[in-house]
Amino acid sequence: MYIKDVANLMNTTSRAIRFYEEKGLISPQKDIFNDYRYFTEKDLLRLSTILALREIDVGVADIKKIFVGLDMSMKQYLDIQRAAMFEKWM
């Protein structure tokens, strides 16, 4: 998926996605011919988790601390999202 498709899917903006990339929270692959970003399923899970955490006002620096050095599984990403949604609900 390309950035525009991801932004539409995640109900966010391309600019927000670029911001998270600039802050080192995501690192999508780039096409060597045109420099377009290409997002994998793992990138989508990570971005979805970032957006869920931002929804409950977790700061970018704190999100970065959560993700540092981790190669998380889908279950781990979903657990973080579930915890974020529970926190928002409470």
Side-chain angles (χ1 to χ4, degrees):
M1 283 186 139
Y2 294 106
I3 194 166
K4 182 179 177 183
D5 302 319
V6 172
N8 288 333
L9 179 69
M10 299 286 176
N11 198 27
T12 191
T13 63
S14 297
R15 178 65 196 121
I17 295 170
R18 285 187 199 99
F19 173 78
Y20 297 133
E21 183 181 6
E22 290 167 9
K23 295 299 181 181
L25 296 177
I26 58 174
S27 53
Q29 298 174 11
K30 289 192 178 182
D31 188 305
I32 59 172
F33 298 109
N34 58 20
D35 218 25
Y36 286 0
R37 292 164 182 82
Y38 183 76
F39 293 82
T40 63
E41 186 174 321
K42 191 160 190 151
D43 294 325
L44 296 178
L45 281 170
R46 190 173 181 108
L47 181 59
S48 176
T49 303
I50 291 166
L51 294 171
L53 293 171
R54 292 295 298 138
E55 185 76 23
I56 60 166
D57 296 324
V58 176
V60 171
D62 292 331
I63 294 171
K64 195 169 189 175
K65 288 176 190 173
I66 292 170
F67 290 157
V68 158
L70 294 180
D71 185 24
M72 298 186 344
S73 69
M74 180 188 299
K75 183 184 180 319
Q76 290 169 310
Y77 281 119
L78 293 175
D79 286 344
I80 290 171
Q81 289 181 39
R82 186 178 318 118
M85 298 315 256
F86 183 75
E87 179 71 26
K88 183 178 180 182
W89 180 67
M90 294 305 285

